[in-house]
Amino acid sequence: QRSEAEFVTFSVPSYACQRRTTLNNRNAVLTDALSLLADNAELTGDEGRGVAFRRAAAVLKALPKPVTDATQLRGLPCLGEHSLRVINDILEDGASNEVESTKRSERYKALKVLTGVFGVGVKTADRWIRAGIRDLHGLQDSGPALNRAQQAGLQHYDDLNQPVTKAEADAIAEIVERAVASVSPGAQTTLIGGFRRGKPTGHDVDFLITHPEEGREEGLVPKVVSWLESEGILFYQKTTRNSYLEGKESGPGRPSSSMDRFERCFSIFKLPKEEKRGAGQTHGAACGPEAGHKPWRAVRVDLVVSPVSQFAFALLGWTGSKLFERELRRWAGHEKAMSLSSHALYDNKQRRYLRATSEEEIFAHLGLEFIPPSERNA
Ligand code: DGT
Ligand code: MG
């Protein structure tokens, strides 16, 4: 019989943005299970339940030690009945029936595969499944009209579902920096998203571009895109223009939730394969199974352009993790009566915008201790 006193008990604050969450997750078995249930909830349109599982997983990610006994979790925030049941099952039996049967379910598998196609969201996948399409072969054969993004996604499904490494992200950063420098000298490019948080891999590579002179960043995306196109680097791109000011004119003066209105480009790069990228040494006959294949690999790249006056907000908003962002906005709204977006911070009581030129200042406005990117891995 072990007594409770032998167990470490944990204590964590309830908002993820109040916690330091590194990539060193000591409870991956538990958080993987909860993340899978979150995925499943989101794939079936139950966003509320998805967030609940994500919050529970994030609490476990912040713990300094592996959980060995459910009594250690007493008093922890965000662990609802359902999450606790799953955690208990895994601690006691090594697995959760709910997680295992979800993983095996035809619907989950089909939703995972179909939403794994670039350009396919939950609604589209759901419609296809109801039409009897279960996998990529089904998709190819039965041929529902695919848009340009989805065609690109299907064509390079394997490439786009193979994690991007940090080395590949750095190679892409070099290309993007070269493009930006040639179309707008003085403009600055910052690696954002998961790679800024120190992740070793990602599903895409995200960049934030700005120019130190306000206004000079306007129209930058189309110029960068033309440069990349002339170099034959783009396989696919879709540019959306900045609509922040238009939104402000037609609507109320404050930023609306998480909707983003930056000039933005969703793209797929043709990244030369490593042996072609390196010091110029090619291996000739040693190319093996890759011989005769395309000499590049498809990588998803997101470019976002922000005016320098909004840069700190854009940087904070695009560094993630997604849950960390969501929690920042929830904290701002519920605890501070403020509205935070990737463009601005509005104080609802003072009825004014709070300026900031660094992430540190935004945390200070929000009454939060500064959390560096490497500790935002909630
Ligand atoms: P990854 O790419 O899967 O390794 O992980 P992340 O964290 O880079 O995730 P990603 O690339 O989907 O997005 C990067 C961050 O940018 C994410 O944490 C939240 C933010 N973000 C992504 N898409 C949007 C958007 O449409 N609007 C806003 N406001 N933020 C976004
Ligand atoms: Mg990313």
Side-chain angles (χ1 to χ4, degrees):
Q1 274 286 15
R2 289 175 298 180
S3 75
E4 262 180 55
E6 285 175 54
F7 295 114
V8 199
T9 53
F10 303 115
S11 145
V12 299
S14 54
Y15 288 84
C17 54
Q18 299 173 287
R19 309 191 290 253
R20 295 177 182 274
T21 313
T22 67
L23 289 168
N24 186 2
N25 175 5
R26 282 89 165 178
N27 288 286
V29 173
L30 299 175
T31 60
D32 285 353
L34 293 170
S35 302
L36 185 139
L37 294 180
D39 276 351
N40 186 55
E42 286 164 6
L43 288 172
T44 48
D46 194 341
E47 216 202 317
R49 178 181 285 223
V51 175
F53 283 129
R54 297 228 184 267
R55 284 204 191 114
V59 164
L60 300 184
K61 284 183 197 171
L63 301 181
K65 288 205 163 75
V67 176
T68 52
D69 189 284
T71 58
Q72 293 171 293
L73 303 174
R74 277 187 202 153
L76 287 184
C78 309
L79 298 179
E81 204 182 313
H82 197 159
S83 295
L84 280 173
R85 184 166 8 110
V86 173
I87 295 168
N88 260 318
D89 288 348
I90 296 174
L91 290 176
E92 284 171 15
D93 308 331
S96 141
N97 280 335
E98 184 182 1
V99 172
E100 296 311 310
S101 65
T102 301
K103 228 187 269 184
R104 281 191 308 263
S105 86
E106 291 305 317
R107 189 176 157 74
Y108 174 77
K109 285 191 281 188
L111 281 167
K112 270 300 236 206
V113 170
L114 296 178
T115 56
V117 178
F118 171 62
V120 178
V122 171
K123 280 186 191 139
T124 304
D126 192 60
R127 184 157 32 83
W128 288 345
I129 289 172
R130 277 187 277 118
I133 298 167
R134 290 284 131 95
D135 53 24
L136 300 184
H137 292 296
L139 190 54
Q140 247 145 2
D141 299 343
S142 71
L146 298 182
N147 64 31
R148 214 164 51 84
Q150 295 160 350
Q151 283 170 26
L154 186 58
Q155 197 176 345
H156 294 292
Y157 185 86
D158 290 335
D159 270 8
L160 297 176
N161 281 282
Q162 178 192 327
V164 184
T165 64
K166 179 65 166 67
E168 289 171 329
D170 289 340
I172 287 178
E174 227 171 87
I175 297 171
V176 172
E177 275 158 20
R178 217 166 345 119
V180 170
S182 20
V183 302
S184 175
Q188 287 158 11
T189 306
T190 309
L191 186 61
I192 49 172
F195 287 111
R196 181 162 184 254
R197 303 196 306 276
K199 275 180 64 179
T201 61
H203 95 283
D204 66 359
V205 195
D206 310 289
F207 295 96
L208 178 60
I209 303 165
T210 192
H211 194 289
E213 266 174 70
E214 186 90 358
R216 292 278 295 276
E217 80 290 344
E218 270 172 44
L220 229 158
V221 165
K223 287 186 210 151
V224 170
V225 165
S226 309
W227 190 94
L228 292 168
E229 255 161 4
S230 71
E231 296 281 314
I233 288 163
L234 285 185
F235 178 77
Y236 167 91
Q237 68 84 20
K238 183 172 192 296
T239 298
T240 55
R241 55 196 215 87
N242 182 326
S243 61
Y244 187 57
L245 289 172
E246 298 152 39
K248 254 164 107 172
E249 281 155 16
S250 59
R254 52 194 197 78
S256 75
S257 69
S258 60
M259 260 307 284
D260 234 77
R261 296 144 187 242
F262 290 119
E263 197 175 64
R264 184 175 177 186
C265 176
F266 302 89
S267 73
I268 297 175
F269 272 40
K270 298 195 267 186
L271 179 65
K273 289 258 168 82
E274 187 155 15
E275 60 270 21
K276 320 261 170 183
R277 247 192 289 141
Q281 275 278 356
T282 50
H283 299 291
C287 282
E290 284 300 328
H293 249 234
K294 61 182 173 33
W296 51 271
R297 116 162 180 80
V299 177
R300 278 270 303 114
V301 177
D302 266 8
L303 306 176
V304 185
V305 171
S306 128
V308 71
S309 59
Q310 299 172 19
F311 181 78
F313 297 98
L315 184 62
L316 179 59
W318 284 85
T319 295
S321 69
K322 283 198 188 86
L323 186 76
F324 192 92
E325 303 295 342
R326 186 185 266 276
E327 293 278 278
L328 273 176
R329 293 193 295 268
R330 189 166 70 98
W331 169 271
H334 290 190
E335 305 296 329
K336 298 286 159 182
M338 294 179 185
S339 314
L340 175 68
S341 75
S342 298
H343 297 278
L345 178 62
Y346 185 81
D347 186 320
N348 295 309
K349 280 186 282 192
Q350 298 185 51
R351 294 169 159 265
R352 68 181 185 98
Y353 286 97
L354 304 178
R355 309 227 149 260
T357 55
S358 68
E359 291 184 323
E360 282 84 347
E361 281 178 73
I362 304 173
F363 279 88
H365 281 318
L366 290 169
L368 288 169
E369 193 184 335
F370 178 69
I371 309 281
S374 62
E375 294 176 326
R376 294 180 204 160
N377 286 292

